[in-house]
Every structure is written in C-alpha cells, then in structure tokens.
C-alpha cells in the first residue's frame, strides 16, 4: 500500500500546469552561496548533502497522482543525479562556469540540482541551488539554504496570528475584496507595455550588488516602512536611469511580488504558499516633477501599497486567499499575473540567515535566483544575509546594458540615503 504522502497545493498544481503548457521555459528558481576557503571534493559534497536531506523530505520526493497529486517518496532517488560540479579553467573562466550552473538542465526525472562551482581561485567557490518552482517557493528554498549551509535560525517572515472564529465574516469579506482587486490588476492596459527590447539568447546571466542591510532598513524606517520598500524605490530609480542609457523606453513597469502566505502551523519545506501580487513601479515620479525630492517620492509611492500589506488585515486576507483558492481559478490567475502583458519584472525578497558555512569554509555572500519569464525584462532578488542586503539581477544575456543594473541600484540606494538623512 502506497504511503499517504504530502498533498500538493493549488499553487503547486498551477505551476505544474504552466510547465506542461510551456515546456520551453525554465520554471526554476533558487540561489547562489559564495564561500571563502578551499572547495570540497564532489564526492564529499554529495555525502554531506545526502545527510542534510533528512531534514528536507520534499527533495527526495516526487509528484504522483492524477487531478490531485501528492508528494510521495521517490524510490529511485540518487544524490549523484542532483549534485554536480563545474570547474572553471582559471580566473577568467569564472563567469562562464557560473553561467553553466545557471543554465544546465536538470537530470532526467530530477526536480532540483545543486552545482559546486570552483577553479577560478584556490580559496573561493560557489554553490548554486536551483529547484522547480512547482516544488518550492522562495520561503521553502530559503529553508533549504538554512538546512544545508545555515545555522537553522528562522527566516523572520511576518505571519498573521492564528485566526479567531469571531472574525471569520470580516476576514471572508476582506479576502473577497482583495481577490477582486488583484484580479482586476491583471487586466492589461493597452499601449503601456514595452516591447521586449532584444531577441532572447536563451542564456541566463547573473549580476550582483550589495549595500549594508542597515542602510535599507534606515531608509525605509524614515517613512515608517521597511528595507524592502527602500529596495523597490531604489529599483525604480535604477530602472529610470537604465532606460535612458540603454534606449529602452519604459512607459510602465509592473513587478510581480511573491508574498509568503503560510500559516503559523505550516511547514516551510513543502511546496508553494506564496501569492503573486502586481505592483506598478512609480517610474513617472521623476519625469512629472523633476527635482531633488524624487527618490523619497518614489519611496512614498511604493509604500502606499506595501503599507497595507504589512497590516494584519491584509496579511490575514492574503493568507486566507491562498489557503482556500480552488485549482482552476488559481491557475487562471497565475497565468495572467505572470504574463508580460500584465507584468514585466519578477521582484522577490527574502531574509536568509545571519551566517552560514560548509565545513571550515564560510558563506561570504548570497544571490537569489528568481523566476525569469518570457517577455520579462529580468528577475531581481534581494537577499538579507548577515550585515548585507544583496541584490541579484537574473536576465537574458541579450538584455541591453544588463550588467549596469546592480551599480545603478546601489547608486539609487545612495541617493535615497542622502535624501532620507536630509529630510
């Protein structure tokens, strides 16, 4: 008799359906950890990962079943099919080695992969983890990071308190209202979407930047917001400058924001419990009133939406939506909100850990790998690790001046910091 397994969520099934509809798209996300010290041997890394997988049962499971599939243990699971190695041919080959890890296909039947990338220096290496989004959202992938490389500390994700029956009617009304609001936001506005400004090469590249985490938190705190608000305001400023330099007109940019909607009693290790929210970035702020206050006005514009999301009522409503969303409406919504006719940037943010290590080597930096969808300009991920807020832009190689984006983001953070200090 087959074991009961773990039920899939409607969002898991929506991503599985998207994979079937668009097999040409890489429906994976994950992250990269950069470490200082000599890299381990591949055989040792495989043994270590195999040991750690005891804490991550999803990664040794596979989807089985028909209309309502479940995660069941994979009798054919083998660590060797999931943990790989890419050796750079000297310092100059580091970028190409990392690109190999970013673009390599999964082994047949595998839902995730981990690549050890080294060879560019004797005392530095990277570990690249990628997983089908149908298996894990960002919060679950962060849990994998903490299980394999971190110290096991919680993610500090905000979750509403346990619901009370007395508030059920009000919660249902709020959830219904938000559902209508977010569905309405998926109807595209004609004439406002930029055409894809390049012919995709099919190869993904990663560009990184970083600022002290306290800088972002301090900027957001001056207006009663968060470091994530400051990040989105800086992203908006960076895009305005990038558009002017690259010659790519951006009449409107709408970001997809994944919001973790797990209940306090739900495990972070299984599947998806994120809700995708569209947020228009206020690119027009500077052009309408070009003066020195534009960075803070961008921040205020971003926070008009995100302030509500931080409130208990909205967070509880999003949680309720995700908990009770039926399969077909969920799939319909996900197809729409991820379409380039509605959104053109994936923007995710995740607190990872205070520190991390692998043996005697220490994690010195991190990069999130968000979904990169057809027709989107790029995916951008903000990871909080230790004292740093690290931004990672994942884009097609053909994106014009894509390598400038982290630098422009850092400059925009600096402008925000100066304006916030002077306010």
């Amino acid at each position: 008799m087959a074991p009961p397994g773990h039920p899939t969520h409607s969002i898991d099934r929506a991503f599985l359906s998207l994979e079937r509809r668009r097999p040409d798209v890489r429906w994976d996300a994950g992250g990269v950890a950069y470490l200082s010290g000599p890299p381990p041997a591949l055989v040792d890394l495989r043994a270590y990962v195999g040991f750690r997988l005891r804490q991550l049962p999803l990664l040794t499971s596979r989807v089985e079943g028909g209309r309502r599939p479940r995660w069941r243990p994979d009798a054919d699971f083998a660590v060797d099919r999931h943990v790989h190695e890419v050796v750079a041919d000297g310092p100059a080959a580091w970028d190409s080695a990392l690109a190999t890890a970013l673009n390599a296909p999964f082994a047949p039947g595998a839902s995730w992969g981990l690549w050890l990338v080294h060879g560019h220096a004797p005392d530095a290496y990277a570990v690249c983890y990628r997983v089908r989004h149908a298996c894990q959202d960002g919060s679950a992938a962060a849990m994998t990071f903490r299980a394999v490389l971190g110290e096991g500390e919680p993610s500090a994700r905000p979750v509403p308190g346990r619901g009370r029956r007395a508030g059920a009617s009000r919660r249902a009304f709020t959830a219904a209202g938000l559902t209508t609001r977010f569905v309405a936001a998926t109807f595209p506005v004609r004439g406002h979407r930029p055409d894809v400004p390049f012919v995709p090469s099919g190869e993904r590249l990663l560009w990184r930047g970083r600022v002290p985490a306290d800088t972002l938190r301090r900027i957001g705190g001056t207006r009663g917001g968060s470091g994530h608000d400051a990040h989105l305001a800086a992203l908006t400023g960076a895009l305005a400058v990038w558009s002017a330099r690259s010659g790519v007109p951006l009449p409107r940019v709408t970001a997809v924001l994944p919001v973790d909607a797990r209940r306090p009693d739900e495990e972070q290790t299984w599947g998806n419990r994120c809700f995708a929210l569209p947020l228009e970035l206020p690119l027009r702020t500077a052009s309408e009133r070009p003066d020195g206050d534009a960075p803070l006005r961008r921040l205020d514009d971003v926070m008009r939406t995100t302030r509500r999301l931080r409130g208990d009522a909205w967070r509880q409503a999003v949680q309720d939506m995700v908990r009770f969303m039926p399969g077909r409406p969920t799939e319909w919504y996900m197809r729409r909100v991820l379409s380039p006719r509605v959104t053109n940037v994936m923007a995710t943010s995740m607190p990872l850990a205070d520190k991390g290590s692998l043996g005697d080597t220490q994690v010195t930096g991190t990069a999130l790998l968000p979904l990169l969808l057809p027709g989107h300009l790029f995916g951008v991920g903000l990871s909080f690790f230790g004292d740093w807020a690290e931004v990672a832009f994942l884009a097609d190689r053909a994106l014009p001046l894509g390598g400038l984006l982290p630098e422009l983001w850092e400059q925009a953070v600096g402008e925000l910091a100066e304006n916030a200090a002077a306010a």
Side-chain angles (χ1 to χ4, degrees):
M1 182 176 179
H6 193 92
T8 56
H9 189 271
S10 59
I11 301 178
D12 301 343
R13 298 192 293 275
F15 274 110
L16 289 168
S17 178
L18 288 167
E19 289 181 2
R20 290 190 294 268
R21 285 172 172 267
R22 292 294 306 271
D24 56 311
V25 176
R26 292 187 177 96
W27 295 97
D28 62 77
V32 181
Y34 299 84
L35 296 98
S36 63
L42 179 60
V43 63
D44 294 334
L45 180 61
R46 284 173 170 169
Y48 174 80
V49 171
F51 173 77
R52 290 293 187 180
L53 287 177
R54 300 175 188 178
Q55 304 174 49
L56 301 164
L58 177 134
L59 297 187
T60 57
S61 302
R62 63 183 177 187
V63 177
E64 295 180 355
R67 293 181 59 187
R68 299 196 58 94
R70 302 177 75 88
W71 300 104
R72 302 188 190 278
D74 183 359
D76 298 323
F77 177 83
V79 173
D80 292 6
R81 287 193 298 117
H82 295 77
V83 181
H84 314 282
E85 182 178 35
V86 181
V87 182
D89 186 15
W94 166 250
D95 289 340
S96 62
L98 183 58
T100 297
L102 293 174
N103 294 284
F106 293 144
S111 296
W112 61 276
L114 189 146
W115 284 262
L116 171 65
V117 188
H118 65 99
H120 64 295
D123 57 352
Y125 66 100
V127 173
C128 175
Y129 171 69
R130 291 168 37 219
V131 62
R132 289 167 60 192
H133 210 300
C135 301
Q136 287 186 329
D137 58 23
S139 181
M143 181 66 185
T144 299
F145 174 94
R146 288 187 292 276
V148 175
L149 297 174
E151 304 295 330
E153 65 268 26
S155 66
R157 61 191 176 95
V159 295
R162 296 181 182 274
R164 293 178 295 179
R165 291 184 181 273
S169 298
R170 175 177 289 183
R171 284 169 51 186
F173 180 79
T174 304
L178 280 186
T179 300
T180 302
R181 178 190 184 105
F182 295 137
V183 166
T186 67
F187 288 90
V189 179
R190 291 186 178 182
H192 287 278
R193 284 286 155 230
D195 294 329
V196 177
F198 57 89
V199 177
S201 69
E203 182 181 8
R204 299 181 291 188
L205 293 182
L206 178 68
W207 298 290
R208 300 169 61 213
R210 58 167 26 182
V211 297
D214 284 346
T215 299
L216 284 185
R217 296 184 181 117
R218 186 164 54 250
I219 293 168
T222 61
R223 316 296 260 204
S226 68
H228 182 62
D229 296 327
H231 157 62
L232 291 175
L235 175 63
T236 305
L239 278 171
V241 178
W242 175 81
S243 176
R245 292 192 186 181
S246 66
V248 177
L250 295 179
R252 191 179 184 196
V253 174
T254 302
V256 184
L257 303 184
V259 177
D260 185 4
R262 281 174 174 78
R263 303 191 309 274
D265 60 336
E266 283 187 311
E267 292 185 74
Q268 293 186 52
T269 52
W270 291 93
N272 288 260
R273 299 295 188 277
C274 64
F275 190 74
L277 303 181
L279 172 68
E280 184 174 354
L281 300 180
L283 286 176
R284 290 172 292 179
T285 298
S287 60
E288 291 174 352
R289 293 171 55 193
D291 57 51
D293 293 332
L296 291 183
R297 288 204 310 278
R298 291 192 189 104
L299 179 59
D300 291 337
D301 287 346
V302 165
M303 288 180 55
R304 287 191 182 96
T305 297
T306 61
R307 182 180 287 113
R308 296 180 180 180
L309 285 174
R310 283 192 299 276
D312 287 342
W314 269 43
R315 284 197 281 117
Q316 183 67 68
V318 170
Q319 188 186 83
D320 291 339
M321 280 191 294
V322 170
R323 182 178 184 182
F324 297 110
M325 285 169 67
R328 288 186 179 179
T330 299
E331 182 182 341
W332 177 86
Y333 177 80
M334 294 297 291
R335 285 204 313 269
R336 292 185 68 89
V337 79
L338 298 179
S339 166
R341 297 180 63 222
V342 176
T343 58
N344 44 14
V345 168
M346 172 68 74
T348 188
S349 174
M350 184 59 56
L352 285 179
D354 290 333
K355 56 184 177 180
S357 62
L358 181 56
D360 294 329
T361 62
Q362 301 298 312
V363 178
T364 60
T366 58
L368 297 186
L369 301 177
L371 278 176
L372 179 59
L373 300 170
H376 279 210
L377 294 169
F378 52 78
V380 57
L382 181 71
S383 57
F384 290 92
F385 177 78
D387 296 330
W388 294 98
E390 308 210 36
V391 70
F393 290 87
L394 186 69
D396 191 276
R397 177 185 287 277
L399 180 72
L401 301 182
L404 278 181
L405 287 167
E407 177 184 348
L408 297 178
W409 178 85
E410 290 176 350
Q411 291 174 0
V413 171
E415 292 175 0
L416 277 166
E418 291 178 6
N419 279 259

